[in-house]
Amino acid sequence: MVNYIWVGMTLIGIVYAIFNGTIEEVNEALFKGAKDAVTLCFGLMSVLVFWLGLMKIAEDSGLLTKLSKLFKPIVSKLFPDVPPDHPAMGYILSNMMANTFGLGNAATPLGIKAMEQLKELNGGRDVASRSMITFLALNTSAITIIPTTVIAIRMTHHSSSPTDIVMPTILVTICSTIGAIFIDRYYYHKRKRNGGY
């Protein structure tokens, strides 16, 4: 469906440009946009490769395991339906660590794996479980210490201080995560009172 929407918007834009006499500007914007996209992708790739490499070093050195153990008691309280030694818990913790370091691209496959494991715990049903809803809320609002992707975009566009975004990002993501937990718990208890779950 989204493909049809994009094609429709593109065709409407081209037809409008033809009737408006601005087709040359459209052609220029197309080529400039393609060039900018390639430049941006290479800029993002270099920074992401660097941080993914650091993440791999942290994983091989055992730092991620230690961080996971540190956060496991907190995460276990957020996901009481998930057994502590279940593979879902490992994927949830890994996803949270990747998000903490701003590695959204690395966090996505871990998040998908976590959801698959949570669905398995839910008996394979198509209805989201309490843990699945909590995980989605936390994954969406994840605390981020180093916003790698945003720093890469700012560097690509020659920002004078690309890392100025770090402190505001930490504060905003802490607030969003706390908000997500409160909203998740509020609706869970409300639904439980109304006879859900």
Side-chain angles (χ1 to χ4, degrees):
M1 184 63 184
V2 175
N3 291 337
Y4 293 122
I5 292 169
W6 279 110
V7 169
M9 287 171 56
T10 304
L11 290 175
I12 289 168
I14 290 170
V15 169
Y16 180 78
I18 290 168
F19 285 110
N20 200 27
T22 55
I23 195 71
E24 281 187 34
E25 285 88 344
V26 170
N27 284 335
E28 190 180 321
L30 281 171
F31 288 111
K32 188 178 181 303
K35 182 185 170 191
D36 290 346
V38 170
T39 306
L40 180 63
C41 285
F42 278 110
L44 286 173
M45 275 193 299
S46 60
V47 175
L48 284 173
V49 165
F50 171 74
W51 284 106
L52 285 170
L54 282 183
M55 191 83 164
K56 184 66 179 161
I57 291 167
E59 184 183 349
D60 291 345
S61 68
L63 179 63
L64 280 184
T65 309
K66 287 175 184 171
L67 283 171
S68 294
K69 283 180 183 173
L70 179 71
F71 289 109
K72 199 168 187 175
I74 299 165
V75 175
S76 294
K77 287 191 189 323
L78 291 170
F79 298 93
D81 302 343
V82 180
D85 296 326
H86 194 275
M89 191 60 77
Y91 285 122
I92 289 168
L93 286 162
S94 299
N95 173 271
M96 289 174 81
M97 290 299 107
N99 275 326
T100 301
F101 293 108
L103 300 169
N105 292 344
T108 301
L110 295 167
I112 291 168
K113 284 285 188 186
M115 277 296 188
E116 286 172 357
Q117 292 295 324
L118 291 171
K119 185 175 181 179
E120 194 178 295
L121 272 175
N122 195 28
R125 292 184 298 158
D126 290 332
V127 178
S129 67
R130 172 190 179 182
S131 297
M132 291 168 86
I133 294 167
T134 302
F135 177 66
L136 183 63
L138 286 174
N139 187 52
T140 306
S141 65
I143 292 175
T144 305
I145 296 172
I146 305 163
T148 312
T149 307
V150 178
I151 291 171
I153 291 169
R154 287 169 62 90
M155 286 172 71
T156 304
H157 292 287
H158 312 293
S159 171
S160 58
S161 243
T163 55
D164 277 355
I165 196 81
V166 172
M167 190 50 68
T169 300
I170 293 170
L171 294 173
V172 168
T173 55
I174 286 172
C175 291
S176 68
T177 301
I178 291 169
I181 292 167
F182 275 117
I183 291 168
D184 174 63
R185 288 299 178 256
Y186 169 77
Y187 280 105
Y188 167 70
H189 290 297
K190 183 180 177 182
R191 190 167 176 184
K192 199 173 177 183
R193 279 195 306 269
N194 294 337
Y197 286 103

